[in-house]
Amino acid sequence: MTLEATAPGANYGSTASGSSFYAAMRILPRDQREAMFQIYSFCRQVDDIADSDGAREERLAALQQWRNDIDALYQGNPPPRLKDYVASIETFGLKREDFLAIVDGMEMDVPQDIRAPDMATLDLYCDRVASAVGRLSVRVFGLPEEDGILLAHHLGRALQLTNILRDIDEDATLGRLYLPREALLHAGITSNDPNRVIAERGLPKVCLPLAQRAKSHFEKSDEIMNRNRRRAVRAPRIMSKYYHAILDLLIARGFNTPREPVRVSKVTRILILLRYAFI
């Protein structure tokens, strides 16, 4: 799974210290920072289960145990691995259903690898693995309820679609294909074999509309952030700008083979931090 901690930010399978997530979170006050790293830790642990080499039945059982532990946490009997979460839940009003939605999203990759889901399933996947993380995060950031939920919806989808476009080749090596079925068929691609699809000449016809969809979500999330307190949206703004830069690089590179990996330059990352971190 190649989703990002769309808290929204770092690849769950990578170290937090080397990520845009870490850069954005370190500017927060201590209680917010601790809550965000708890959310990150939770996401990384359940993502590691979904991406492990274990038997599918074992992974399903491990994810169910996380559901049981979340239920116990909210019933006042937190298991040892979630005891530190109690204060954050009480302070920021983090919702049980958002934690459970993240587990549900991870589980979508487990019974069988995702391959060319229909658009509705892809959107549900984005909501669970990205926007649900955003719904937890905006409570920590202190955004108003309505705008916070809207921001989680749009920014979560923007970042997750960017991840999908960035990681097409990496996902194919895992036997996964997140590009929507309708877009593939529209481009004349009938296979759902990841390795065959990524070699198709018609792939840009699939990816460019998805990139435009991501851009639309970025624009809507910018509108929401622009009407809220700058300090409340510092962290999501940094991650938005970082991933928007990735999307721009992907579009400029194109989606024909060969596809060289894209990377935001160190200078660009520093400029984003300087502009939005110190407000």
Side-chain angles (χ1 to χ4, degrees):
M1 187 177 302
T2 55
L3 52 151
E4 302 291 319
T6 349
N11 188 287
Y12 291 138
S14 64
T15 57
S17 60
S19 70
S20 62
F21 174 85
Y22 181 81
M25 295 311 125
R26 67 186 299 183
I27 67 174
L28 297 172
R30 181 177 178 178
D31 58 343
Q32 291 180 317
R33 186 170 65 249
E34 289 180 353
M36 288 305 304
F37 276 104
Q38 288 166 357
I39 294 169
Y40 174 93
S41 175
F42 168 78
C43 292
R44 179 171 180 175
Q45 290 180 77
V46 292
D47 183 51
D48 284 347
I49 293 169
D51 279 357
S52 76
D53 295 329
R56 295 186 189 273
E57 295 80 6
E58 294 174 356
R59 286 184 276 163
L60 289 171
L63 290 172
Q64 182 57 48
Q65 185 57 57
W66 270 106
R67 291 191 185 92
N68 296 341
D69 286 354
I70 292 295
D71 285 341
L73 170 65
Y74 278 87
Q75 290 165 4
N77 301 301
R81 62 182 173 180
L82 291 175
K83 280 188 176 180
D84 291 344
Y85 287 57
V86 173
S88 295
I89 288 171
E90 293 176 350
T91 300
F92 300 110
L94 306 182
K95 300 296 185 182
R96 166 182 170 272
E97 56 263 32
D98 292 325
F99 283 109
L100 293 177
I102 295 167
V103 180
D104 291 343
M106 304 299 176
E107 191 176 82
M108 290 176 73
D109 274 311
V110 177
Q112 58 186 11
D113 293 321
I114 288 183
R115 292 191 175 188
D118 59 46
M119 186 62 78
T121 301
L122 176 62
D123 190 66
L124 176 62
Y125 179 78
C126 291
D127 185 79
R128 288 173 169 176
V129 303
S131 292
V133 186
R135 290 192 290 272
L136 291 170
S137 303
V138 293
R139 294 182 183 278
V140 175
F141 300 150
L143 270 77
E145 178 79 9
E146 184 175 350
D147 270 359
I149 298 301
L150 277 175
L151 180 59
H153 175 93
H154 289 296
L155 189 53
R157 284 160 169 81
L159 301 186
Q160 191 60 30
L161 291 174
T162 300
N163 295 333
I164 288 169
L165 292 168
R166 182 194 61 191
D167 297 332
I168 291 170
D169 297 299
E170 180 182 345
D171 287 334
T173 66
L174 301 174
R176 295 171 181 171
L177 177 67
Y178 295 95
L179 299 176
R181 182 184 311 157
E182 296 92 332
L184 291 168
L185 292 175
H186 184 71
I189 300 173
T190 57
S191 175
N192 70 350
D193 182 311
N195 289 307
R196 289 185 61 183
V197 171
I198 64 174
E200 290 277 358
R201 293 180 62 183
L203 195 64
K205 296 180 182 179
V206 180
C207 295
L208 288 173
L210 210 60
Q212 290 305 313
R213 181 182 290 259
K215 273 187 169 291
S216 177
H217 283 301
F218 275 121
E219 290 168 3
K220 290 174 181 176
S221 65
D222 281 343
E223 291 173 7
I224 298 164
M225 288 188 283
N226 287 342
R227 64 177 180 247
N228 281 277
R229 292 183 300 113
R230 294 181 70 188
R231 292 188 67 84
V233 297
R234 286 186 303 169
R237 180 83 77 180
I238 289 168
M239 288 179 287
S240 174
K241 295 301 181 183
Y242 180 80
Y243 275 91
H244 204 159
I246 291 175
L247 183 63
D248 288 341
L249 289 171
L250 289 170
I251 293 171
R253 180 205 65 187
F255 294 95
N256 283 311
T257 56
R259 288 177 290 273
E260 292 295 324
V262 303
R263 184 177 180 84
V264 178
S265 71
K266 185 175 182 179
V267 171
T268 298
R269 296 198 303 270
I270 291 173
L271 289 175
I272 290 171
L273 281 175
L274 288 174
R275 182 171 181 182
Y276 298 106
F278 307 106
I279 299 172

